[in-house]
Amino acid sequence: ADKEISWIYCGDKIDPIHEKYIKEWEGKNPGWKVTPEVVGWEQCQDKATTLAAAGTPVGMAYVGSRTLKEFAQNDLIVPVPMTDDEKKSYYPNIVDTVTFDNNQWGVPVAFSTKALYWNKDIFKQAGLDPENPPKTWAEEIAAAKQIKEKTGIAGYGLPAKTFDNTMHQFMHWVYTNNGKVIDGDKIVMDSPEVLAALQAYKDITPYSVEGATAYEQNEIRAIFLDGKVGMIQAGSGAAARLKDTKINWGVAPLPLGPSAKGEGTLLITDSLAVFKGTGVEDKAIEFAKFITSPGPQGEYELQGGAGLTPLRPSPKVDEFVKADPSWKPFIDGITFGGPEPLFTDYKGFQNSMIEMVQSVVTGKAEPADALKKAAGEIEAFK
Amino acid sequence: MKQPHLLIHRYKWYEIIGIYAGILVFLTFVLAPFVEGFLVSLKPLSQLFSSPYRFIPENGSFEAYRTMWVSVPGFARYIFNSFFISTIVTAVVLVLVIPASYAFARFEFKGAGLLLGAFLAVNMFSGAVLLIPLFRLMRTLGLLNTYFAIMVPGVAFLIPSAIWLLRTYMMRIPRELDEAAFVDGASHFYTLRRVILPIAMPGIMVVAITTFIGSYAQQFIFALTFNSKTEFAPLPVGLFAYFGRQEVVWNELMAASFVGIAPAMIVIFFLQRYLVSGLTAGAVKQ
Amino acid sequence: MSVQRNAVIFAWILLLPAVLYVAVIVAYPLVDTFILSFTDASLKKTTNWVGWVNYSKIFNATFAEVIIRTFIWTFFSVSIKMIIGVFGATMLNSAVPGRALFRVLTMPPWIVPMAIGIFMWGWMYNGQFGMISGMLQRFGLVDAPVAFLAQGSTAFWATIITDVWIGVPLVTLYMLAAMQAIPQDLYEAAWTDGAGRFYRFRRITLPLIVPSMITMSMLSLIATFNSFDIIWILTRGGPSGETTTMIIDTYKTAIGSNKYGEGAARAVLICIFLSIFCVCYFRVTSRLTSGDKR
Amino acid sequence: MGQLLLNKVQKFYGDFEVLKGVQLEVRNGEFVVFVGPSGCGKSTLLRMIAGLDATSGGDIVIDGLRVNDLPPVKRGIAMVFQSYALYPHMSVFENIAFPLRVEKMEEQKLKAKVEHAARILHLDQRLQQKPGMLSGGQRQRVAIGRAIVREPKIFLFDEPLSNLDAALRADMRIELAKLHRQLKATMIYVTHDQIEAMTMADRIVVLNAGEIAQTGAPLELYHKPANIFVAAFIGNPKMNFLPVTCTGVSDAGIEIDYKGQKAVIPVTPRGGAIGKQLTLGVRPEHIQIGSGDIAFTVTPSVIERLGAQTVAYASLDGESENFCATLHGRAAVHPDQPLATGINVADCHLFDEVGIAFERHVELTSIDMNLLNPTAA
Amino acid sequence: MGQLLLNKVQKFYGDFEVLKGVQLEVRNGEFVVFVGPSGCGKSTLLRMIAGLDATSGGDIVIDGLRVNDLPPVKRGIAMVFQSYALYPHMSVFENIAFPLRVEKMEEQKLKAKVEHAARILHLDQRLQQKPGMLSGGQRQRVAIGRAIVREPKIFLFDEPLSNLDAALRADMRIELAKLHRQLKATMIYVTHDQIEAMTMADRIVVLNAGEIAQTGAPLELYHKPANIFVAAFIGNPKMNFLPVTCTGVSDAGIEIDYKGQKAVIPVTPRGGAIGKQLTLGVRPEHIQIGSGDIAFTVTPSVIERLGAQTVAYASLDGESENFCATLHGRAAVHPDQPLATGINVADCHLFDEVGIAFERHVELTSIDMNLLNPTAA
Ligand SMILES: Nc1ncnc2c1ncn2[C@@H]1O[C@H](COP(=O)(O)OP(=O)(O)OP(=O)(O)O)[C@@H](O)[C@H]1O
Ligand SMILES: Nc1ncnc2c1ncn2[C@@H]1O[C@H](COP(=O)(O)OP(=O)(O)OP(=O)(O)O)[C@@H](O)[C@H]1O
Ligand SMILES: [Mg+2]
Ligand SMILES: [Mg+2]
């Protein structure tokens, strides 16, 4: 009988491009079969974890790269070492997102970065230059204030719901101010850079969409699409949607904080992790590398609409950016971007971060205190 | 309007208004989310996220009720699965619960109270917490990725309340009926089958309905964890198919929800009489 | 005495399938959970016996807050459910045309898959696009959109309301049944003595449904205490943990952070709390209902 | 005051006419008993008087006021239900006090009233108990107590004794009769037990299928039943009926022929009876051993010896119904042994072919002076 | 055969001794009635005989076989329950056929049996109906039918008539008596209605608080009650009791003094009675208007005129209980008017200070020959 590589595939259905390449790979590897199991995004990762924890791991799963450390430390996954050539083919910093203990633990399969979207009509209405988006936090806050005061419309969309992307959004601010949460094994979050980011959050809140803690980023995006907020930071997916609206919009690199060294963003990747104990680890690695190799991956990520940023530079990408300049800010940010911090108890860390953001946004705590408290808490989650 | 014969049921005009107002308030609370859900299902996706809030959807249409079948092709199968699973679960629960309730209602034996309490305690642990041990068990039993993976734990968590309900009902059946059968030489089992079972039918109906609905509602978490095969997935899991990577197809999701619960609603509509009276009666009117 | 002994044996034969089933499917995982609560089980392949560590870890200021919050949340949710349920049952119990239809119309929240019901509430609570905020703005009661899930205080109540909504149909149904079991002649006697509708409700209906209310509130209490999906889908226990109840905390610990040992300890704690409740309940009811028989 | 007038009172359930225009006047202070077989409409009529059931036609007038549309409390009535309708969750005190609490009576006065009622009904010791702890008779008294405290003009009772056992029923009968004299209130009492009716009523109303069959004092119904229905219904064991032929009419009465024996029954004849098939009625207690104006031999199949009385049941030739005789306690009768019996014409009742009685020549006042003035009792 | 022996049968509920060593023998074909007040243990005893309740002590022997540990069906008994315990979902036919279905009797034979039973009980027309559509009496007959088809050795009835109304009760009494003669089976019948006991029993067993107070033929209990309890329980209205003093003893009987009047009661004396407080018992039906061996004047407060009889209730000086007299239907008594009455010593009962009767000089066989040979009835 055929040997099987089971693959937990997040989404509602298998992407046709992946389907095509699975066929191709199966054709090249007779006796092998890839059996994807489609699981909705909400439960995708939990399912892979549960299966592994219960001792029946799947061959391969689509997981957020942030969990790789936890999996690795608990001996659930096998390393997927990359050759230097392979590493070089990616944009900078991307390989870092899957690297831990000098080893790669997953193959990046999806990548996203963020940029600032602004509504030109609202800018105009508020007396701002619609063609000149804010370049720094100070400008951004000032613009938000002016919009709010002149038009009554919220100037900025700040998502702060108890949701994972609340931390992501904040990490964009940290990385646009050259901040860091963890350095090797040391928590370095209680730093002036991060404090400045948190202070900026506090400063912009009054001019943001009412009730920030009720919204996550997709909901904020919907408000922007509805023309009810001046600026948001969002992924490439927003651009695709904006094209269907009457809104006059622009997209620019994320504004920078006072300590910034250059354009930055949080680099979020999802990876294919190969689980230990299935007996097909080697073949699974082989397949993972195949399905993320420049050919298939390039086709997959440039379909647009899914909000993905290309993982590797290529002539095709350049062509693409030329055709649609709104892609540029997303790629420019990569150079100074940082990875999601890797923690053993990633959820614990994330909860503390969300808590910190929320306490500042709702005015329950001063930024400095909140930061100190969170920095203390996350020590336990390394 | 026909005047009731019992004058105590004759209302003054202001009482009628009061009652209908009360019912209106009550039903508003109960149905408001459905109204919202229904409106959502009528609006085109692009219009969903638009303010100011408009109660009546602009150029609303039933388009979602058509496209939902297209965007999630297996949807009919999910509804069928839900029905199928609930039916089997209900049948198994009844088979297990009827004799047990009879034992609790009729026999005095040591530890009856304790055992009854133990059944209640099952409800104190929510399924979510037991997920991992349950998963191991399902794997040991080799039930993963089958219909059984959803049915087996489902039955276990529905048994306690079913026993409580049916036991109360059976206790109201006059004991003389058992005794008469016993005197006539009927075995306990014969008595249960020929005497108690038919008389307890209204109570069994109630238990069947509540179990069916309970099973309908509970399938999600078990289905998700213990089953990976799309062909066995029930409605609640199917509904999650409308959550894309970036986008929830809200209007189709709501449309699908309404279509999905329609069969259960129809069942309830025809059985509500039995529901209320089955809970009330119990006593055998001779 | 053999007659009796045979009966007892038969009773056990009848019980055996259900008992065995529940024992294997539920009791086994329960015991597993109990044992787990004394280990450091996590994603790691090896687990160690740690004794009471998990339990001692639980007791800190934050968790005390969670416990208190859980109790308050449960208390309000159950009370409001009972109040609305009794109110609804009273309305549906009146002899007005259309009541059969109205009775059917109370059922949907019970039938609809829970997650869907919660999504619909999520829509209602949405500040920008939701019905409640929209209506309030339309009628000029507020001038800016209100995001009900944004503030701890409103989110707390929003989750309670949703929980109430899901629980109300069953409570209403039971209360309706309890009311219908009250003999009609009691009302006629009271009416003959001049008691008005409200007086009859207060002095006859209410006292006589108390036993049913107690039973229902206990069952409801167990369900509510363990109510998970509602809070999880609406707020994930936020903002700032202000809707985190014990079960949410347990889930976050066990499934979210993969600390199975600590999660199990929390689950055991929940069960202990509920058991204490139920014992008290049996005490109270047996006292309340004694001597009330006609 | 507690005077009640029923004027052509009708009740329909759908197309089914339960009460067919009942016409009745009840005097103040009277004790009226409605009797009749099950389903004849007694309860329905009572509930209409109480204001619990709607009236389909006719008027109900209490003390000159048409009350058809008034709620019960405004009619000045109190009702004692067959099931007692005690509130199981309230103590005896609270049960009795209920109507006063509704009125918001001041506590002091309320207490005095309840205690007074409890004393009358010998419930003083039970006031703090719940109804569940009381015996049937005590419950019944609580129900009456609840009616008493309101001091209604009219008491309505719906088979209040039917749930009690025989001994208790006898006791309660006496207590109710005493209570009636004590309170001097109008009482309307429904029962299907004719002994209750006979012993308690000033006046009995016999209902048959929604119509009044006869109204009168108990002994009037016993001695002068207006028709076969009443004759059969009143008296226990019930009257025996024999088919006879009318052979002549005179001032002394009607001459009849029973299987060849002729006798003149002292009743007032009505035109054209000669030759017709009539029905002769004779009560079991009027059959004597030996001979009489009409004599016949019966063979009892069942003998019931009650000590004080002996009841013999026999089948007569060609009759399907039992023929019954009540004899004294030591009567020498034995099953399956033929017995010579006789009846006197003075004890006989005679009914025409549609069941209407011929009036007997009996002076009722010679039996009970009260019949001259019923309300004086 | 259907012979039953109860040997020191005891029943405890916890520490509460419900039956205190009951000793009784029931002959084949006998109709035995257990009577006694509510709660005296009648039902418990019957259920122990049936095998529904366990025995705490003693033996139950049916036809020489100790059956204590046998299930009901092996005891050869059939039981008719007070509530009839009909299966509401089965037709009358199926209800009656139930015991035969349990036995898996062959269809043809089963049908014949059920139809035979239905004919006996006049249920032929009702076989296809459900119990809910039947009247009380019909339901009762179905319950009996279910007992009959099994052809048990012993029939057990637990108050089968208590749910019926008076008229139906009288009819069913006769039918049951007929049935007993027809089937010639042993029947044990529980009731708390002493009229039922008197009319149906070959032998009555009076139970009082878990003990047998007296066993005997109905008229034996009526004329020669062994103690005050039985004297009061048997007879309706119940016996009147007067406190008297014993002033002398002779062969003719015991001389007593009642408020100065002296009389000799014809009873067999027992040692040392002189000077003691005794109780004189006299039944209401033995009180006559005018005079007698003992005379006294009473003032009736309540008069019940039943037509055939008149019952007068009066209070005697210094007595709390009602004094009751049953007079003939046209007796000239009126409430609150003093009435001279008398009793004859031959009708009197006399009880010692602990309530045990002195034996009366009455020849029972002069009243009913059956008492010589009770089973011949
Ligand atoms: N709600 C109703 N709908 C239809 N018919 C009714 C209703 N209530 C009573 N009846 C009919 O009216 C008739 C009279 O009923 P009612 O209760 O007055 O009888 P009753 O004389 O009190 O009998 P019982 O002695 O059995 O109490 C019966 O034939 C009964 O079937
Ligand atoms: N299961 C039981 N547990 C405790 N006591 C009981 C039980 N059943 C009966 N008793 C008691 O035993 C006594 C006799 O009861 P039983 O039912 O035999 O009386 P009964 O003579 O049939 O009365 P009734 O005429 O009211 O039917 C009563 O005092 C009763 O309280
Ligand atoms: Mg009636
Ligand atoms: Mg009994």
Side-chain angles (χ1 to χ4, degrees), chain B residues 108, chain E residues 12-14 16 18-19 36-47 53 82 158-159 190-192 207:
Chain B
E108 280 158 25
Chain E
F12 284 89
Y13 278 120
F16 176 47
V18 177
L19 290 171
S38 191
C40 69
K42 305 179 296 291
S43 298
T44 307
L45 187 55
L46 199 74
R47 290 169 56 84
D53 281 355
Q82 177 173 359
D158 192 356
E159 310 205 12
V190 162
T191 180
H192 57 239
L207 283 174

Side-chain angles (χ1 to χ4, degrees), chain A residues 5 49 58 64 71 84 89 125 127 132 157 160 184 195 203 234 249 263 277 281-282 289 316 320 323 342 348 351 371:
Chain A
I5 300 170
T49 315
V58 288
F71 284 168
D84 283 345
S89 73
Q125 212 180 320
N132 191 13
L195 180 61
D203 293 343
W249 56 282
E263 287 175 14
E281 289 94 334
D282 292 342
K289 291 211 165 151
K316 221 158 127 206
F320 209 77
L342 289 181
N351 288 340
L371 185 61

Side-chain angles (χ1 to χ4, degrees), chain C residues 185 188 190 192 203 207 292-293, chain D residues 47 83 88-89 130 132 150:
Chain C
D185 58 7
E188 292 187 339
T192 314
R203 294 286 314 267
D292 265 10
K293 298 192 186 70
Chain D
R47 291 170 56 83
S83 58
H89 55 295
K130 293 260 174 87
R150 281 189 49 212

